[in-house]
Amino acid sequence: CNIPSGRLSVNVVTEKDTADLDYIAKNLDPEFVAASFIGSGEDVRKVRSELAKAGNDKIKIIAKIERPVALENLEEIIDESDAIMVARGDLGVEIEAWDVPAWQKKAVFLANKKSKPVIIATQMLESMIDNARPTRAEASDVFNAVVDGADAVMLSGESSVGKYPVESVKVMDEIVRCAQDHVPKHDPEDLHSGRDAIAEDVCMAVHAFSQRFEKSMKTGKVIVLTRNGFAARSLAKYRPSLPILAFSEELRTVRELALCCGIKA
């Protein structure tokens, strides 16, 4: 249930969660697992610990931001997780609806800054559960999420129980493609994580170089060799004008990078 401004007293990793994570780790081995009701960085560590106990420390964790307490601890949750999902359905019940857009924008910005993929989910094209076309407001919602810096936008009921699942995906794709042509230029300094990492500084330099390429009307691609995907993600957050091609000897890394905007791995 949803308790506005409430704090759940139950453990984030319940007995059932432990069993599910054990099964997932041993039998499914996905690239990502989405964790619900995350309220702190410690909650993320608990999920990661359970996966490790099951013998699989490679599965990445997507922390679902859906509780007021998660907003209070947003930065530490992003630090501890591998990606985040702004789950606006539950979040919109627990905080005022008009506060959701501001928190969504903040979550996207912080995730971008830390080179972590961010997914925007719930009610993006809600009317397409029953109608073949979205409303103008829904189209604007998807468009603005992409322009703000979201790596992925997610359909829920539209594709699971709706009357027009294929059409919903096609419409979402069209909106995203249009929005990507209007993503504003980023000031690299605004998105620098502050970490003393060589990869971060190199990526800023590559971004600046790609801008010069664009001004000179030249075409090209950025080739990134990466083991765990960090260098590719660090570059992609700047949304350079040149396409990013990432190569890795780790097939899992290649699949994980599919979640990141602007990278073809």
Side-chain angles (χ1 to χ4, degrees):
C1 65
N2 296 96
I3 306 174
S5 302
R7 294 172 182 266
L8 295 180
S9 60
V10 299
N11 292 327
V12 168
V13 181
T14 64
E15 186 175 337
K16 183 180 184 303
D17 291 334
T18 299
D20 289 341
L21 290 170
D22 183 79
Y23 180 83
I24 289 169
K26 293 178 179 178
N27 299 281
L28 303 180
D29 190 29
E31 282 70 49
F32 295 94
V33 62
S36 297
F37 303 119
I38 294 297
S40 66
E42 177 60 25
D43 290 341
V44 180
R45 289 191 290 271
K46 289 178 181 178
V47 175
R48 202 179 300 280
S49 175
E50 291 300 327
L51 291 169
K53 288 179 184 177
N56 194 331
D57 60 358
K58 295 180 180 180
I59 299 175
K60 300 296 191 294
I61 298 171
I62 301 172
K64 295 179 68 176
I65 307 301
E66 53 192 341
R67 300 168 57 200
V69 66
L71 301 178
E72 296 173 16
N73 301 315
L74 188 56
E75 287 204 54
E76 70 173 68
I77 290 173
I78 295 173
D79 285 337
E80 292 295 334
S81 62
D82 302 293
I84 64 168
M85 177 190 297
V86 183
R88 305 179 308 173
D90 287 322
L91 189 61
V93 173
E94 301 211 10
I95 66 174
E96 299 292 359
W98 48 84
D99 287 330
V100 173
W103 280 110
Q104 174 179 311
K105 288 177 180 292
K106 182 174 182 178
V108 169
F109 174 75
L110 290 175
N112 284 170
K113 192 170 184 178
K114 296 174 184 293
S115 303
K116 303 288 181 75
V118 52
I119 305 164
I120 304 301
T122 318
Q123 298 179 331
M124 303 222 75
L125 299 176
E126 184 81 358
S127 69
M128 289 195 71
I129 291 177
D130 296 305
N131 301 296
R133 300 293 296 175
T135 66
R136 277 72 170 174
E138 288 168 341
S140 295
D141 183 30
V142 176
F143 186 100
N144 287 325
V146 175
V147 169
D148 286 343
D151 288 275
V153 286
M154 182 176 138
L155 294 169
S156 301
E158 302 93 332
S159 55
S160 62
V161 298
K163 297 177 181 178
Y164 303 96
V166 176
E167 291 83 354
S168 296
V169 175
K170 288 181 178 179
V171 168
M172 181 81 91
D173 180 64
E174 289 293 340
I175 299 171
V176 169
R177 288 177 184 274
C178 179
Q180 287 177 327
D181 292 334
H182 295 83
V183 174
K185 303 296 182 185
H186 292 296
D187 182 342
E189 293 297 333
D190 290 341
L191 291 175
H192 195 289
S193 68
R195 289 177 297 191
D196 186 19
I198 294 177
E200 187 107 36
D201 294 331
V202 170
C203 289
M204 287 183 67
V206 172
H207 171 64
F209 187 72
S210 73
Q211 287 186 312
R212 297 191 63 176
F213 245 65
E214 184 180 28
K215 290 178 181 178
S216 65
M217 304 299 288
K218 295 179 181 178
T219 59
K221 295 179 175 63
V222 180
I223 307 297
V224 181
L225 303 180
T226 181
R227 183 176 180 82
N228 60 16
F230 175 71
R233 295 196 309 273
S234 295
L235 175 59
K237 71 179 179 181
Y238 297 116
R239 301 298 191 263
S241 55
L242 298 179
I244 302 171
L245 300 182
F247 294 86
S248 177
E249 61 184 9
E250 300 290 339
L251 181 58
R252 179 176 286 269
T253 296
V254 172
R255 293 197 295 255
E256 290 169 355
L257 288 174
L259 184 57
C260 302
C261 178
I263 301 175
K264 185 174 182 179

